[in-house]
Amino acid sequence: MIILLVAITPEANAVPAEFPMKKKDFTFPLYESEDERLRLLITGPGKLSAAMAVSAYLTRYGTSDSDFFCNVGICGGGTDTTVGEGYLCASLTETTTGKSLYPELYTHPFAEARLMTSDVPVTDTAAFPEHEGNLPLLFDMEAYGIAATLYRSVPPSRCFFYKVVSDLSNGTFPTAAEVTDILRPHLGPLFAFLYEQEKQQALLLTKHKERACAVSSLTKALMDDLPFSATMERKLTELVTYALSVGLTREQLFSSLPERNDTP
């Protein structure tokens, strides 16, 4: 499942019409698509509200190995950005403490940027000269709080932060309608990317499940009628896992068995 996290309703309104949503009974505004593959959580603005919303979601619904979380929304940009540009965030830094978190990004079709999360809207980028570098610098109010909460339960490889520049951090802010219009063109490609991640994760989980079944079956066969202790069984499981991963066959493993009833 894809769990989309937005701060405000105008961001939620950018979700394409081809994803009809129904509201769920939850503390924060939460919607689910008819095919139950997509959920949309409106956290409220600010990192505290965002962290509370995500914490409440995880408490109620938990998470599975096939879930992907994506915080998407508008942000302020620096002087090297343009309104309407979208970025996948490679780092998230909390402006008060200077602490950073890092999503695990692999192959993707998006431009990357560094994101600063502050308690109030940034209206002067000159206050952050030490953060100038190769990647553009963006500013929001939620991402760090979301990441700090998610990372306690969800691997960084299944958490994404996609931001679209709505202003240049100069005190000029878009209207609600403009927020929706700025975000809408980005959600189609973003959904395509997220659903591809979900598909690849499903294939990986199936492969891991098949490997686990093969390891379990082979371990039990190797232990048949042999006096294995619990500790020896765990060690054998590790060895079988390694053997299969390097390409050894069942026949090769059985050929090394000791005589029956001998201590292995």
Side-chain angles (χ1 to χ4, degrees):
M1 176 177 284
I2 305 301
I3 300 91
L4 207 63
L5 309 169
V6 301
I8 55 179
T9 300
E11 294 174 338
N13 290 340
V15 174
E18 58 262 33
F19 296 95
M21 311 286 281
K22 56 184 179 181
K23 191 170 185 179
K24 297 182 68 68
D25 182 19
F26 188 58
T27 309
F28 292 82
L30 178 65
Y31 302 84
E32 185 175 85
S33 63
E34 293 180 351
D35 61 5
E36 299 182 347
R37 294 184 61 196
L38 172 69
R39 281 181 180 161
L40 172 65
L41 175 62
I42 304 176
T43 67
K47 62 176 183 255
L48 179 58
S49 179
M52 291 173 61
V54 173
S55 179
Y57 178 90
L58 293 174
T59 300
R60 169 77 72 86
Y61 296 102
T63 182
S64 72
D65 290 338
S66 59
D67 286 342
F68 284 84
F69 292 79
C70 183
N71 170 220
V72 58
I74 60 170
C75 68
T79 56
D80 53 352
T81 62
T82 302
V83 171
E85 291 179 337
Y87 296 91
L88 198 61
C89 299
S91 66
L92 315 168
T93 302
E94 206 276 326
T95 57
T96 303
T97 63
K99 293 182 178 179
S100 295
L101 297 171
Y102 298 92
E104 291 182 8
L105 301 182
Y106 299 99
T107 302
H108 63 80
F110 307 111
E112 293 184 9
R114 294 163 298 138
L115 182 65
M116 306 288 292
T117 296
S118 62
D119 293 318
V120 296
V122 171
T123 56
D124 184 6
T125 59
F128 302 92
E130 68 272 21
H131 298 291
E132 295 299 329
N134 294 327
L135 294 179
L137 192 60
L138 310 177
F139 304 90
D140 89 329
M141 296 173 57
E142 296 82 30
Y144 187 90
I146 291 173
T149 306
L150 280 177
Y151 285 4
R152 294 179 180 274
S153 305
V154 185
S157 58
R158 291 195 280 114
C159 302
F160 299 100
F161 300 83
Y162 188 89
K163 299 293 178 175
V164 180
V165 178
S166 62
D167 61 88
L168 299 182
S169 306
N170 54 12
T172 302
F173 304 108
T175 65
E178 288 172 338
V179 168
T180 301
D181 291 340
I182 288 171
L183 274 181
R184 184 171 284 131
H186 294 267
L187 291 189
L190 182 61
F191 280 141
F193 168 74
L194 292 172
Y195 280 126
E196 179 62 24
Q197 299 306 302
E198 182 186 49
K199 175 183 175 182
Q200 294 302 320
Q201 179 73 355
L203 294 174
L204 185 62
L205 291 174
T206 298
K207 183 178 180 180
H208 285 177
K209 183 177 180 179
E210 292 173 350
R211 174 60 59 85
C213 290
V215 168
S216 176
S217 174
L218 189 50
T219 300
K220 290 179 180 178
L222 289 168
M223 288 173 54
D224 188 33
D225 295 330
L226 292 173
F228 273 69
S229 68
T231 300
M232 295 166 72
E233 179 181 350
R234 287 193 292 271
K235 186 62 177 178
L236 179 61
T237 299
E238 294 176 1
L239 293 172
V240 169
T241 300
Y242 176 76
L244 292 180
S245 68
V246 297
L248 293 180
T249 64
R250 184 185 184 94
E251 290 71 23
Q252 289 172 314
L253 290 174
F254 271 94
S255 67
S256 61
L257 274 176
E259 293 296 324
R260 292 295 182 183
N261 300 319
D262 288 346
T263 300

